[in-house]
Amino acid sequence: MKKLLRILPFAAALWALLALAQTNEPANDWKPAPSNQPGKEYPKVNSEGRVKFRIVATNAQSVGVTFRDSSPFAKGEDGAWYGFTRPLDEGFHYYSIKIDGAEVPDPSSRMFFGAQRWGSAVEVPAKDAEFYAVMNVPQGQLRELFFYSKSSDSMRRAFVYTPPGYDQSPDKRYPVLYLQHGWGENEYGWGVQGHAREIMDNLIAENKARPFIIVMVYGMTNDTQPGGLRNFDIGPFETVLIQELIPFIDSNFRTLSDQLHRAMAGLSMGGMETKTITLKHLDTFSHIGLFSGGSIAVTNITDLVAFKASNKLVFVSYGSRELGNNRGGDPKANVEALEAAGINSRFYVSPDTAHEWQSWRRSLHEFAPLLFKR
Amino acid sequence: MKKLLRILPFAAALWALLALAQTNEPANDWKPAPSNQPGKEYPKVNSEGRVKFRIVATNAQSVGVTFRDSSPFAKGEDGAWYGFTRPLDEGFHYYSIKIDGAEVPDPSSRMFFGAQRWGSAVEVPAKDAEFYAVMNVPQGQLRELFFYSKSSDSMRRAFVYTPPGYDQSPDKRYPVLYLQHGWGENEYGWGVQGHAREIMDNLIAENKARPFIIVMVYGMTNDTQPGGLRNFDIGPFETVLIQELIPFIDSNFRTLSDQLHRAMAGLSMGGMETKTITLKHLDTFSHIGLFSGGSIAVTNITDLVAFKASNKLVFVSYGSRELGNNRGGDPKANVEALEAAGINSRFYVSPDTAHEWQSWRRSLHEFAPLLFKR
């Protein structure tokens, strides 16, 4: 009897848990996602981070979304199909809808380039969303332009962020950050879902970062069939970046064009590119940022004396949910070893996020204040 | 017999025609559309202007596109659905794909805002496509920025085209064109499918247009449910444009800020807005462009003397296939009456195009060289 009494609370708790799992009723506080097309009610997000969809496909046999572990989709009284996801991490997630074997963009979502296509994505509002929101502060500009690349004999698109006040201070010169997207993404990523413009405007308004220029360009120059990672060759991109884009930017924008005032960072594959290119061009870049894109071991550095003399910062970051998946050694240990070797290094972990944009928005937000400090 | 001989050629011609209609084989010279997502083979366009689609929807009962008079869609050997359109006009056409009652974006198309949504569209290459292509000429920039609007208490997006050399000539000032999209579209339209940047860069490179700034902003300011034309009120937009955006542009860009150097133009609904606002603000705008958006009758002008003294150009254009659908009088006759009244006016008809972007690209291309001439 005494034993039974001891077990009882656990049994009751277990029973309650099972009941909850069985009913599995999502919290009924759905709000339209900020990533929706203008005027669209769905997709909606609730306080658990679940996303609920409404898909009109009157004669379909089967409807769903690409999020794993979603609820079954069923027809509502209005004839549309409804279903919802498991709780998702805060931040930005690509997805498609599925209709009778087709995988297509959700017509209710705005369109983003990632996962190798322009398609739908949903924003699960984050508690810290304000740092990348459009605020009523002095505004920078995101400029779309094309430059001629001789090595690829093509006009190539770049986006250039100029900080607030750039046009009003014709005698002022600015440092530059070259900022790369990840695999399956393109030069739009940082300006659209990455909110680089908003992040910088807000940091500068709070006097937390020095105003600098950001340049964003496509990082798979040799890629004729987008996404072909197997045939990826960093050479053509390195040529475009070092020999063509940097001189173009330095002659068309008011840059501080010395090594001390030039940084490179990238996410995922863009981090790999950053590592390869910055280690090879110590005279070109002084600040390095790797966001979910590997780390630099002391043994990666050929000439430690030269590196220590020229480098001002190595920043390495990951989402907490992707730590442990790292190839190329433990990033935290690598950063600590750099520190021990006398190199100014930082390690940042984005709480409760995976290999996704919320990790990279936060990474830029942590990285930018460290740049170009005397 | 003589009668039969006379009829025979007609009969033969009729028979040939019927045979052609029955086989209806599209020309087999399909090429990927320039509007496709990177690396996508389909949709394809042939020399007749037909568009052929490939849609993967393995378990669907019925697949199609929103283009009227398209062929039935049928499954090919690879299990994907194939079908094609009637010959379409050269230029840019919005569409959606249909799968078992769903209307969704074609995942093979890039995404454009129009018809009140971000969705798919196809570009049927035009013979004159070069005037809006990215060429290796001095490049302008398309700048995305936000400005605070007091009247709507919101941060509002604008796109600003700055001509080649803008950053390199810090003492030079430029005229400004305010350029509006149509109903169901937004501030992205002119910069994306309208190719305003490319049109201007190419005209300036050929010394056919004076370099000027173009400003593009959303024209349905009061619209909370996008596309609600029934409740459209031009007042809030007029306030944003006249009281907020123009002063913002004049203080943040190197403009020539007098009436002589400020123009307004728009397409369709944007033409209606242009007409209403320019006629009301003679002291603000000197050049007027209405693209498929009505015309100005002499009787529309309250004070003809004042108008003649202040206005430098009234430009009216239409696509040839939409002429005859005009409300508000015959546009050609209205332009001729303006000319007769001593007002510098032009009427332009885009050959073989309807109420679509090819008419408006050509209209800007014809309009821009006429602007800000002394």
Side-chain angles (χ1 to χ4, degrees), chain B residues 161-174:
Chain B
Y161 166 79
T162 53
Y166 182 88
D167 281 327
Q168 285 72 41
S169 325
D171 298 322
K172 200 171 165 187
R173 294 188 160 267
Y174 297 83

Side-chain angles (χ1 to χ4, degrees), chain A residues 114-286:
Chain A
Q116 306 177 56
R117 88 292 182 266
W118 290 99
S120 35
V122 65
E123 183 79 41
V124 174
K127 284 176 218 52
D128 57 351
E130 215 170 63
F131 81 79
Y132 51 90
V134 177
M135 308 291 273
N136 187 7
V137 296
Q139 296 284 309
Q141 300 173 0
L142 187 66
R143 308 181 179 193
E144 182 185 12
L145 54 83
F146 285 76
F147 65 100
Y148 176 68
S149 155
K150 195 179 168 188
S151 66
S152 62
D153 191 23
S154 60
M155 299 298 294
R156 304 191 76 82
R157 182 188 282 106
F159 288 98
V160 177
Y161 166 80
T162 53
Y166 182 89
D167 281 328
Q168 286 72 41
S169 325
D171 297 322
K172 199 171 166 188
R173 294 189 160 267
Y174 297 83
V176 187
L177 165 64
Y178 291 82
L179 185 59
Q180 291 305 125
H181 60 84
W183 175 81
E185 299 179 325
N186 67 13
E187 67 275 21
Y188 287 84
W190 272 110
V192 182
Q193 59 266 44
H195 295 296
R197 195 183 54 76
E198 294 87 338
I199 291 170
M200 291 308 304
D201 286 354
N202 295 341
L203 281 172
I204 293 166
E206 293 177 318
N207 207 20
K208 287 185 179 162
R210 177 174 173 177
F212 55 81
I213 292 166
I214 303 181
V215 179
M216 294 149 276
V217 73
Y218 187 57
M220 295 183 80
T221 306
N222 76 312
D223 200 21
T224 50
Q225 188 73 13
L229 199 57
R230 191 202 307 233
N231 304 316
F232 179 60
D233 173 9
I234 200 171
F237 169 63
E238 186 181 346
T239 302
V240 167
L241 178 68
I242 302 289
Q243 293 180 25
E244 296 168 349
L245 182 57
I246 291 177
F248 174 87
I249 294 294
D250 283 337
S251 62
N252 285 278
F253 289 85
R254 297 193 317 277
T255 62
L256 291 163
S257 61
D258 57 331
Q259 182 261 7
L260 255 184
H261 295 96
R262 195 179 297 114
M264 182 172 181
L267 71 91
S268 194
M269 184 197 72
M272 310 289 187
E273 294 181 326
T274 299
K275 176 178 171 177
T276 304
I277 289 174
T278 54
L279 288 180
K280 192 168 161 190
H281 297 275
L282 298 185
D283 294 349
T284 306
F285 303 98
S286 52

Side-chain angles (χ1 to χ4, degrees), chain A residues 280-313:
Chain A
K280 192 168 161 190
H281 297 275
L282 298 185
D283 294 349
T284 306
F285 303 98
S286 52
H287 298 68
I288 301 173
L290 313 179
F291 309 161
S292 307
S295 56
I296 295 176
V298 174
T299 51
N300 294 141
I301 301 170
T302 318
D303 183 341
L304 194 61
V305 175
F307 189 83
K308 279 177 68 170
S310 69
N311 183 272
K312 298 300 165 194
L313 174 70

